[in-house]
Amino acid sequence: MKKNNENNGKHSNDLDTLYSQPREAITGFVFDDSVVKVFEDMIGRSVPGYTTLLSMFPVLARSFVTQNSRCYDLGCSLGAATLAIQQGIDNDNVEIIAVDNSSAMVEKCEALMINHESNVKVSVQQADICEIELSSASFVVMNFTLQFIPEKLRNILIKKIYSGLNKGGAFVLSEKIKFNNTVEQDRLTTLHHLFKKANGYSDLEISQKRSALDNVLMAETVEQHLSRLRQAGFSEVIVWFQCFNFVSFLAIK
Ligand code: GEK
């Protein structure tokens, strides 16, 4: 993989200060231009384990991607998972399809992909992942995206992913989770907030962002995820990663 020297599409390291000033009213969080500008900083400082989790994607891809197949990155944002998967692929005739419904994300993601040379073709598409078709897939990743999909559409979406996978193919699902047990819920929420504070977010930023995500990010329990994945038909479903209240599942067809 090689980067050229053009600035176009270069990762911006803009600091996320979106919620640093008091707001009169907090509106629902959207993935618009202002978020895209600071996204890399935002996700790294907000999701415990994000970098470690991504660093395992080449290993997972190497284990499951087969020649003449497709990989999908659903809710790709700026393509961090796509690039990590790409690193793990040494098979012939593999294409990665990276999908996001935010035009601002897709535009920047496309620019970033141009700067990476690889034998593995990447196609970035602007679409709602609930509306796309998947086929001949050996590896599908949904890294912190299902949590933004309306709950009533989640079963159908996971079944569609199962149908689009080849036998032996894998689906990696990463999510923020909630707990039915209030002691666990409170403990892990506190630890998550301390993680954000340790990364430089103020109490005001944490609380305003939390309000913005109310009714936008709808977390489910580990049990709900495991049950949905099994009901969709996956024969092997494993929690392979957890950091506080952020979990990643590996489901194999
Ligand atoms: C990463 N995976 O860096 N269809 C397509 N995209 C959607 C939809 C939808 N219906 N709903 C939300 N998105 C990335 C991080 S971020 C997670 C993923 C986060 C997109 C949305 O536009 C955003 O880019 C992404 O899902 C979620 O590994 O910000 O917490």
Side-chain angles (χ1 to χ4, degrees), residues 14 41 53 93 95 101 115 118 161 175 188 193-194 225:
D14 286 5
D41 178 65
L53 186 132
N93 195 22
E95 179 182 13
N101 66 349
N115 287 341
S118 166
I161 291 167
E175 287 278 288
L188 289 162
H193 289 172
L194 285 172
H225 286 295

Side-chain angles (χ1 to χ4, degrees), residues 31 39 43 50 75-77 80-81 100-102 105 127-129 143-145 147-149:
F31 293 94
F39 186 74
I43 196 156
Y50 176 75
C76 61
S77 299
D100 205 288
N101 66 349
S102 154
M105 282 291 185
D128 183 335
I129 56 171
N143 213 28
F144 306 110
T145 305
Q147 58 200 19
F148 296 109
I149 302 296

Side-chain angles (χ1 to χ4, degrees), residues 171-237:
F171 172 43
V172 173
L173 172 68
S174 312
E175 287 278 288
K176 182 176 185 184
I177 50 155
K178 67 174 185 184
F179 300 84
N180 287 329
N181 179 315
T182 50
V183 175
E184 275 181 79
Q185 177 65 27
D186 292 348
R187 176 71 62 199
L188 289 162
T189 303
T190 303
L191 286 168
H192 180 214
H193 289 172
L194 285 172
F195 167 83
K196 292 185 77 165
K197 279 187 92 164
N199 284 328
Y201 284 117
S202 66
D203 288 331
L204 177 72
E205 284 176 296
I206 294 169
S207 110
Q208 293 195 131
K209 174 80 178 287
R210 194 180 186 185
S211 303
L213 284 172
D214 254 0
N215 300 318
V216 175
L217 190 168
M218 305 293 282
E220 295 176 297
T221 62
V222 165
E223 294 73 24
Q224 283 174 297
H225 286 295
L226 291 174
S227 146
R228 179 182 295 116
L229 290 164
R230 288 189 187 117
Q231 269 173 25
F234 287 101
S235 57
E236 206 180 310
V237 183

Side-chain angles (χ1 to χ4, degrees), residues 38-250:
V38 299
F39 186 74
E40 214 189 342
D41 178 65
M42 172 187 280
I43 196 156
R45 288 201 288 140
S46 305
V47 175
Y50 176 75
T51 311
T52 310
L53 186 132
L54 276 183
S55 73
M56 296 303 141
F57 281 11
V59 179
L60 290 164
R62 196 159 291 126
S63 171
F64 292 103
V65 175
T66 53
Q67 64 175 6
N68 306 321
S69 73
R70 296 197 179 101
C71 300
Y72 290 86
D73 178 4
L74 304 177
C76 61
S77 299
L78 301 181
T82 290
L83 292 176
I85 295 166
Q86 201 182 40
Q87 281 176 34
I89 300 176
D90 51 15
N91 319 71
D92 293 331
N93 195 22
V94 177
E95 179 182 13
I96 305 176
I97 298 165
V99 185
D100 205 288
N101 66 349
S102 154
S103 57
M105 282 291 185
V106 166
E107 196 183 314
K108 187 163 175 193
C109 184
E110 273 174 336
L112 290 168
M113 292 305 140
I114 289 166
N115 287 341
H116 289 269
E117 258 178 34
S118 166
N119 293 333
V120 182
K121 187 183 164 210
V122 174
S123 134
V124 185
Q125 298 178 3
Q126 188 189 343
D128 183 335
I129 56 171
C130 296
E131 284 168 13
I132 62 159
E133 295 301 320
L134 292 86
S135 61
S136 305
S138 56
F139 195 61
V140 179
V141 164
M142 214 195 295
N143 213 28
F144 306 110
T145 305
L146 189 65
Q147 58 200 19
F148 296 109
I149 302 296
E151 283 164 291
K152 61 177 191 302
L153 302 179
R154 293 182 186 180
N155 286 352
I156 299 168
L157 175 56
I158 300 300
K159 282 193 176 131
K160 181 171 75 175
I161 291 167
Y162 178 82
S163 302
L165 274 163
N166 298 333
K167 191 147 180 26
F171 172 43
V172 173
L173 172 68
S174 312
E175 287 278 288
K176 182 176 185 184
I177 50 155
K178 67 174 185 184
F179 300 84
N180 287 329
N181 179 315
T182 50
V183 175
E184 275 181 79
Q185 177 65 27
D186 292 348
R187 176 71 62 199
L188 289 162
T189 303
T190 303
L191 286 168
H192 180 214
H193 289 172
L194 285 172
F195 167 83
K196 292 185 77 165
K197 279 187 92 164
N199 284 328
Y201 284 117
S202 66
D203 288 331
L204 177 72
E205 284 176 296
I206 294 169
S207 110
Q208 293 195 131
K209 174 80 178 287
R210 194 180 186 185
S211 303
L213 284 172
D214 254 0
N215 300 318
V216 175
L217 190 168
M218 305 293 282
E220 295 176 297
T221 62
V222 165
E223 294 73 24
Q224 283 174 297
H225 286 295
L226 291 174
S227 146
R228 179 182 295 116
L229 290 164
R230 288 189 187 117
Q231 269 173 25
F234 287 101
S235 57
E236 206 180 310
V237 183
I238 302 164
V239 173
W240 70 275
F241 184 88
Q242 177 161 4
C243 190
F244 298 145
N245 43 347
F246 291 79
V247 163
S248 192
F249 305 88
L250 172 64

